């Protein structure tokens, strides 16, 4: 019995050491090949390679400036047509040795490059860690200001056309769905988020191909079939994922929008992200750069 207990104890210690000391610093590239739903307009023959970065949570020692620079280099090496950043650049936990301010991490991300540009939306922690923006109940935020200053277009309930060889493809970006949650908890009133899906979609001409960026995936339950692809983060894949199951998922639909490719009326990809939130642990869901080949033959 003592020998068995010892084995179990050592196993638990080794797993914990891996989950805090190794997996959070790993980095993988996860690829999806998606043919848009027939209900979504998409130019015949057009194939876009999209690199997706999300949930960086800049801080020492978990996501240092040097590590962010390595992510930028790895992303550029993928030669994507488009690079998108889907929010949560700011730290999301207390177990850090230094919070890295936006004025330091944004210039590093400014090294990202792609023919169709580099675009971003904000996440909940970009609001929650910005007391001035919370007090105002609106922007500008430190994250948004510094990203813009370093050449990255930040979309807030708006859309822009991308000039592809097959004509314009619209990129729409939704403002965060939980932006004002700390204020609401404190006062008991007011809005939860600053998102406006109807206004965001209205900015795209009828019948035009469209990609949507939304930090939290829950909005996908309301996304119409005309959107070819929605890209999200936020969940970190549960940050602990065992045999395809995550015990804790920050979503109203934890069994529905936890991680990976989801097809309903249209297509959603939820990235497991790169950094850490709440606790410094990752197990079964290593930090990832996501690459989506949109317009490609779907993977069986």
């Amino acid at each position: 019995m003592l020998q068995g207990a010892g084995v179990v104890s050592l196993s638990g210690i080794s797993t914990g050491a891996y989950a805090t000391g190794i997996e959070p610093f790993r980095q993988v590239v996860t690829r999806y090949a998606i043919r848009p739903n027939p209900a979504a307009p998409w130019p015949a023959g057009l194939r876009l390679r999209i690199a997706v970065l999300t949930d960086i949570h800049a801080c020492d020692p978990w996501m240092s400036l040097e590590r962010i620079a390595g992510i930028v280099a790895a992303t550029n090496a993928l030669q994507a047509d488009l690079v998108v950043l889907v929010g949560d650049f700011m730290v999301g936990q207390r177990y850090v040795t230094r919070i890295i301010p936006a004025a330091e991490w944004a210039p590093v991300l400014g090294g990202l490059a792609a023919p169709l540009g580099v675009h971003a939306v904000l996440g909940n922690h970009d609001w929650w860690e910005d007391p001035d923006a919370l007090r105002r109940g609106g922007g500008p935020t430190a994250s948004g200001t510094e990203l813009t200053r370093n050449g990255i277009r930040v979309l807030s309930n708006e859309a822009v056309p991308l000039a592809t060889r097959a004509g314009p493809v619209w990129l729409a970006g939704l403002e965060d769905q939980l932006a004002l949650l700390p204020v609401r908890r404190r006062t008991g009133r007011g809005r939860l988020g600053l998102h406006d899906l109807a206004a965001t979609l209205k900015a795209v001409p009828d019948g035009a191909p469209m990609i949507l960026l939304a930090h939290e995936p829950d909005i996908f339950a309301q996304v119409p079939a005309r959107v070819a692809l929605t890209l999200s983060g936020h969940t970190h894949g549960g940050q602990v994922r065992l045999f395809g199951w995550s015990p804790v998922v920050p979503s109203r639909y934890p069994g529905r929008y936890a991680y990976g490719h989801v097809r309903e009326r249209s297509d959603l990809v939820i990235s497991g992200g790169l950094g850490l939130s709440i606790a410094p642990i990752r197990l079964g869901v290593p930090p990832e750069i996501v690459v989506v080949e949109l317009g490609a033959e779907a993977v069986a």
Side-chain angles (χ1 to χ4, degrees):
M1 287 178 64
L2 289 174
Q3 286 179 335
V7 169
V8 171
S9 178
L10 287 173
S11 175
I13 292 170
S14 62
T15 299
Y18 173 82
T20 58
I22 297 178
E23 184 156 314
F25 297 98
R26 289 181 60 203
Q27 185 172 294
V28 300
V29 176
T30 305
R31 299 178 182 271
Y32 300 92
I34 298 173
R35 179 182 288 276
N37 189 301
W42 190 256
L46 178 62
R47 179 170 174 158
L48 287 185
R49 177 177 296 172
I50 308 167
V52 186
L53 306 180
T54 187
D55 298 281
I56 289 173
H57 294 296
C59 65
D60 289 327
W62 310 105
M63 186 60 71
S64 65
L65 293 175
E66 292 76 18
R67 187 175 173 197
I68 296 172
I71 291 168
V72 168
T75 303
N76 287 341
L78 294 169
Q79 298 183 315
D81 301 302
L82 170 69
V83 174
V84 297
L85 302 111
V86 200
D88 270 8
F89 305 93
M90 301 291 279
V91 67
Q93 58 160 323
R94 298 178 181 177
Y95 304 99
V96 304
T97 57
R98 184 173 84 97
I99 296 172
I100 301 176
E104 294 184 32
W105 54 253
V108 182
L109 291 176
L112 290 164
L116 296 179
V118 182
H119 298 75
V121 292
L122 300 182
N124 55 302
H125 284 285
D126 301 314
W127 287 93
W128 294 2
E129 308 303 325
D130 193 330
D132 291 337
L134 281 180
R135 190 161 40 248
R136 288 190 302 268
T141 62
S143 293
T145 297
E146 293 299 330
L147 286 167
T148 302
R149 184 172 291 157
N150 286 278
I152 297 173
R153 175 70 184 269
V154 180
L155 300 172
S156 176
N157 296 329
E158 57 188 323
V160 294
L162 306 176
T164 77
R165 59 179 178 77
V169 171
W170 287 76
L171 183 66
L174 196 66
E175 190 51 85
D176 190 68
Q177 301 158 59
L178 300 174
L180 302 183
L181 180 59
V183 176
R184 180 167 177 174
R185 281 176 173 164
R186 189 167 61 248
T187 65
R189 63 180 185 276
R191 294 185 63 185
L192 182 66
L194 293 171
H195 59 294
D196 189 335
L197 181 62
T200 304
L201 299 181
K202 189 176 180 180
V204 179
D206 290 342
M210 174 182 11
I211 299 163
L212 176 66
L213 309 181
H215 178 66
E216 294 90 359
D218 286 4
I219 196 69
F220 188 64
Q222 304 171 40
V223 171
R226 66 180 286 224
V227 178
L229 175 67
T230 300
L231 297 168
S232 295
H234 182 64
T235 67
H236 296 215
Q239 214 161 275
V240 172
R241 192 165 179 83
L242 304 171
F243 307 107
W245 173 74
S246 300
V248 179
V249 178
S251 168
R252 288 175 294 160
Y253 313 98
R256 186 174 171 186
Y257 303 144
Y259 173 75
H261 179 206
V262 178
R263 169 161 277 193
E264 293 182 351
R265 282 172 294 190
S266 62
D267 290 277
L268 165 70
V269 171
I270 307 164
S271 169
L274 289 155
L276 299 166
S277 182
I278 310 302
I281 182 173
R282 268 188 183 265
L283 183 62
V285 55
E288 66 179 6
I289 299 170
V290 166
V291 176
V292 179
E293 301 279 358
L294 184 60
E297 291 292 341
V299 175

